[in-house]
């Protein structure tokens, strides 16, 4: 049993069920009640980038302990507590991705498959009643970390970094988050409540496709873009059944490749700085688009990218 997979899966579930959907749902998406959450995430990611990490296991124990304490008060969070919650998530994620560099693509795919399957199954659980889930998940992380092997030798050399890859990552997160948040606020198209037992195998199929045939993230741009465009079309023509198949596949497919690309950076600072753009800036803008019912903005960005990218690709080929 690879317990690092359990740590990764439980932390992804904490983000999906508590930080992303639970808190936002409990506060009815009111920005003035939530704005400190992404601010805390930005601060946490930046702190993770520039802090000198000597014992990553100890840091993770401390962060998971803070998660447990905060979870006791769920969902009655003040702006200050949301700031701390965002900080913990923002600080923890780069460390988790960094220590996962010693794992295979299969282990990464397995962790994502577990989180998507359980997260989808629990999505309909009432937002305001997820307190027990919020406590159990970091407890699982602590227990699994106890039996995990964590490499304490940190890479000091500079890793190569391509801004174009980060821009593509941010685009996929933006397109995904905008559509997800729009669907979750749409009674007639909330596919997670309507077709969870179709979405789960679709997620697993997407993870399998990425593991078996995915390759590098940038090399799969046309496939991911096409699947996103199809997902947006299915939303606008109101085909929730077909959307519940296509959309989860593209979510799982691109996320396996995105996480793989971040892990391969093998440098905490580069991972953390990438997460500032991918995990907080892109997703926060997408949330604003969804809350203001401006999904056409995300569709327009995808459309413009579809025109520009082939020209850019020919220039660098």
């Amino acid at each position: 049993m690879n317990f690092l997979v359990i740590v990764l899966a439980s932390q992804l579930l904490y983000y999906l069920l508590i930080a992303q959907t639970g808190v936002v749902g409990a506060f009815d998406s009111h920005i003035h009640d939530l704005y400190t959450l992404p601010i805390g995430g930005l601060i946490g990611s930046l702190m993770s980038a520039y802090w000198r990490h000597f014992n990553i296991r100890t840091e993770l124990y401390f962060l998971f302990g803070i998660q447990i304490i905060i979870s006791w008060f769920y969902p009655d969070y003040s702006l200050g507590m949301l700031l701390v919650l965002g900080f913990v998530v923002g600080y923890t994620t780069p460390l988790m991705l960094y220590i996962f560099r010693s794992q295979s693509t299969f282990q990464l795919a397995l962790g994502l498959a577990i989180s998507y399957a359980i997260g989808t199954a629990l999505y309909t659980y009432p937002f305001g009643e997820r307190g027990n889930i919020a406590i159990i998940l970091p407890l699982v992380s602590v227990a699994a970390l106890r039996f995990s092997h964590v490499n304490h030798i940190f890479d000091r050399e500079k890793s190569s970094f391509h801004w174009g890859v980060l821009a593509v990552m941010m685009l996929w997160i933006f397109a995904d988050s905008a559509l997800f948040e729009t669907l979750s606020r749409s009674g007639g198209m909330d596919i997670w409540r309507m077709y969870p037992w179709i979405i789960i195998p679709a997620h697993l199929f997407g993870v399998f496709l990425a593991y078996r045939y995915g390759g590098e993230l940038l090399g799969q741009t046309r496939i991911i873009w096409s699947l996103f465009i199809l997902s947006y079309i299915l939303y606008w023509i109101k085909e929730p059944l077909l959307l519940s198949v296509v959309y989860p596949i593209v979510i799982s497919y691109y996320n396996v490749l995105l996480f793989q690309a971040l892990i391969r950076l093998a440098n905490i600072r580069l991972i953390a700085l990438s997460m500032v753009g991918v995990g907080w800036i892109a997703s926060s803008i997408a949330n604003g688009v969804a809350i203001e019912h401006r999904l056409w903005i995300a569709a327009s960005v995808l459309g413009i990218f579809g025109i520009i990218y082939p020209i850019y690709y020919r220039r660098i080929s």
Side-chain angles (χ1 to χ4, degrees), residues 109 202-215 220 223 227 249-250 252-254 256-257:
H203 269 309
L204 298 179
F205 185 59
V207 169
F208 170 76
L209 289 176
Y211 166 69
R212 185 67 179 84
Y213 305 106
Q220 303 299 306
I223 293 174
L227 290 172
I249 289 176
V250 65
S252 300
Y253 189 82
Y254 92 81
V256 171
L257 304 185

Side-chain angles (χ1 to χ4, degrees), residues 50-107:
Y50 291 100
W51 191 261
R52 299 187 67 182
H53 304 280
F54 294 106
N55 191 325
I56 199 168
R57 183 190 292 272
T58 301
E59 287 185 75
L60 289 174
Y61 278 133
F62 178 73
L63 292 163
F64 297 159
I66 295 176
Q67 282 185 357
I68 294 170
I69 294 172
I70 292 176
S71 297
W72 279 106
F73 301 95
Y74 179 92
D76 300 318
Y77 291 151
S78 64
L79 289 174
M81 295 181 72
L82 287 174
L83 183 74
V84 175
L85 175 62
F87 177 88
V88 171
V89 173
Y91 192 102
T92 302
T93 304
L95 299 188
M96 287 299 310
L97 295 178
Y98 178 76
I99 65 173
F100 222 76
R101 73 199 187 284
S102 61
Q103 306 302 309
S104 66
T105 303
F106 173 77
Q107 302 297 342

Side-chain angles (χ1 to χ4, degrees), residues 23-39 78-79 82 181 185 283-293:
V23 172
V24 175
F27 282 82
D28 294 322
S29 302
H30 294 154
I31 295 178
H32 60 275
D33 293 327
L34 297 165
Y35 70 92
T36 55
L37 180 64
I39 292 175
S78 64
L79 289 174
L82 287 174
E181 296 297 339
R185 292 169 174 80
S283 60
S284 296
I285 295 173
N287 285 342
V289 167
I291 290 172
E292 296 299 322
H293 306 288

